[in-house]
């Protein structure tokens, strides 16, 4: 298996522009997580899905952030409009549901977002 | 709600010496504990986990961790450090209610030749 695949790996955009980050989870995994990593705050959970359904989005910082999972093999995280303080590394992770409690999450390589 | 504390931002150790990266946790119910490593410009890689059973857990690359329920700790250890172990290490916890992993802020390990 290729693992969790994220695209793009790097994104540089201007303030005010829309940014879309993409994630393909590991086949057969039906829990998907979006995390954000910054120096100041470490790894923060933004939102997670079980069976394509958003379970908890309380970590989404503002209404500018939205996430979707239209099917079991694809998820997007969108920021509109983007701001410089959104600059961070965004990680997608997946794990199997059902054994979630004792199963580790598998992480993608991350998307490094820079908003100028 | 669960939480993880990694009290050291940075740990320096000489190559060949034993290393310890500390982690304490807070969780209601039974804890499920994990260690991950992150190399520069890479995602997080799973090292080991404690679910139940033996308090000493062995994982990848010669790492091990000891679960101590009374001290609510799950310290990561390795008997002999390598320069290639230099990376950012994260401790994570989840409770027994099927919630996502909560991560500590990370500890940067630097192994000096």
């Amino acid at each position: 298996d290729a693992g969790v695949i994220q695209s793009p790996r790097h994104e540089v955009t201007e303030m005010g522009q829309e940014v879309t980050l993409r994630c393909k989870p590991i086949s057969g995994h039906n829990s998907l997580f979006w995390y954000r990593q910054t120096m100041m705050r470490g790894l923060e959970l933004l939102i997670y899905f079980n069976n394509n359904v958003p379970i908890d989005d309380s970590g989404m910082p503002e209404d500018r952030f939205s996430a979707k999972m239209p099917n079991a093999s694809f998820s997007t995280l969108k920021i509109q409009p983007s701001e410089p303080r959104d600059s961070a590394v965004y990680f997608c992770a997946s794990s199997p549901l059902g054994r979630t409690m004792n199963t580790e999450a598998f992480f993608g390589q991350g998307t490094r977002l820079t908003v100028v | 709600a669960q939480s993880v504390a990694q009290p050291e931002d940075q740990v320096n150790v000489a190559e060949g010496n034993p290393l310890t990266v500390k982690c304490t946790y807070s969780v209601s119910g039974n804890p499920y504990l994990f260690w991950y490593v992150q190399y520069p410009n890479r995602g997080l890689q799973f090292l080991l986990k404690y679910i139940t059973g033996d308090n000493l857990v062995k994982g990848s690359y010669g790492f091990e961790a000891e679960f101590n329920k009374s001290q609510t700790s799950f310290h990561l250890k390795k008997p002999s450090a390598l320069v290639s172990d230099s990376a950012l290490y994260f401790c994570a916890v989840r409770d027994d209610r099927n919630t996502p992993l909560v991560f500590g802020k990370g500890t940067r390990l630097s192994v000096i030749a």
Side-chain angles (χ1 to χ4, degrees):
Chain A
D1 196 315
V4 176
I5 300 172
Q6 291 186 246
S7 64
R9 288 293 309 277
H10 302 274
E11 177 79 36
V12 180
T13 191
E14 292 185 348
M15 182 175 62
Q17 295 299 305
E18 176 180 298
V19 175
T20 299
L21 311 182
R22 296 172 175 81
C23 175
K24 176 179 168 53
I26 292 172
S27 177
H29 285 189
N30 41 13
S31 285
L32 184 141
F33 313 88
W34 283 100
Y35 286 88
R36 178 172 69 174
Q37 184 180 27
T38 60
M39 289 289 292
M40 292 298 295
R41 301 173 69 94
L43 268 169
E44 305 171 276
L45 177 69
L46 300 177
I47 185 172
Y48 78 99
F49 297 82
N50 285 343
N51 292 322
N52 313 339
V53 176
I55 302 301
D56 185 354
D57 66 353
S58 60
M60 297 284 259
E62 299 172 35
D63 291 345
R64 298 184 295 106
F65 286 69
S66 63
K68 294 182 180 179
M69 192 165 185
N71 57 61
S73 59
F74 184 65
S75 177
T76 60
L77 177 68
K78 185 177 294 187
I79 308 172
Q80 166 62 19
S82 57
E83 296 183 4
R85 59 194 167 122
D86 302 331
S87 298
V89 181
Y90 291 81
F91 287 104
C92 177
S94 70
S95 68
L97 187 61
R99 294 182 293 118
T100 304
M101 288 184 290
N102 59 14
T103 300
E104 61 274 20
F106 296 80
F107 280 75
Q109 299 275 47
T111 295
R112 182 174 295 277
L113 174 65
T114 303
V115 183
V116 298
Chain B
Q2 56 265 37
S3 65
V4 172
Q6 293 183 242
E8 302 154 317
D9 291 335
Q10 173 94 29
V11 170
N12 297 319
V13 64
E15 187 176 30
N17 283 1
L19 69 88
T20 298
V21 182
K22 296 179 180 177
C23 170
T24 58
Y25 66 90
S26 174
V27 67
S28 54
N30 294 320
Y32 298 88
L33 295 154
F34 303 79
W35 275 101
Y36 284 79
V37 60
Q38 184 182 27
Y39 297 100
N41 300 315
R42 303 293 297 275
L44 278 70
Q45 297 178 33
F46 168 74
L47 275 180
L48 52 80
K49 62 185 175 185
Y50 171 82
I51 303 301
T52 187
D54 195 346
N55 290 343
L56 185 65
V57 178
K58 294 188 184 297
S60 307
Y61 312 120
F63 283 93
E64 57 189 30
E66 186 167 12
F67 171 64
N68 187 316
K69 188 173 183 178
S70 63
Q71 297 185 1
T72 61
S73 67
F74 189 57
H75 301 333
L76 181 70
K77 300 181 180 184
K78 187 173 182 180
S80 178
L82 300 173
V83 172
S84 57
D85 292 330
S86 299
L88 188 57
Y89 289 81
F90 290 94
C91 182
V93 68
R94 65 158 50 104
D95 62 19
D96 54 8
R97 292 175 298 155
N98 213 20
T99 53
L101 290 173
V102 172
F103 286 85
K105 289 206 164 185
T107 298
R108 188 164 300 281
L109 173 68
S110 180
V111 181
I112 305 160

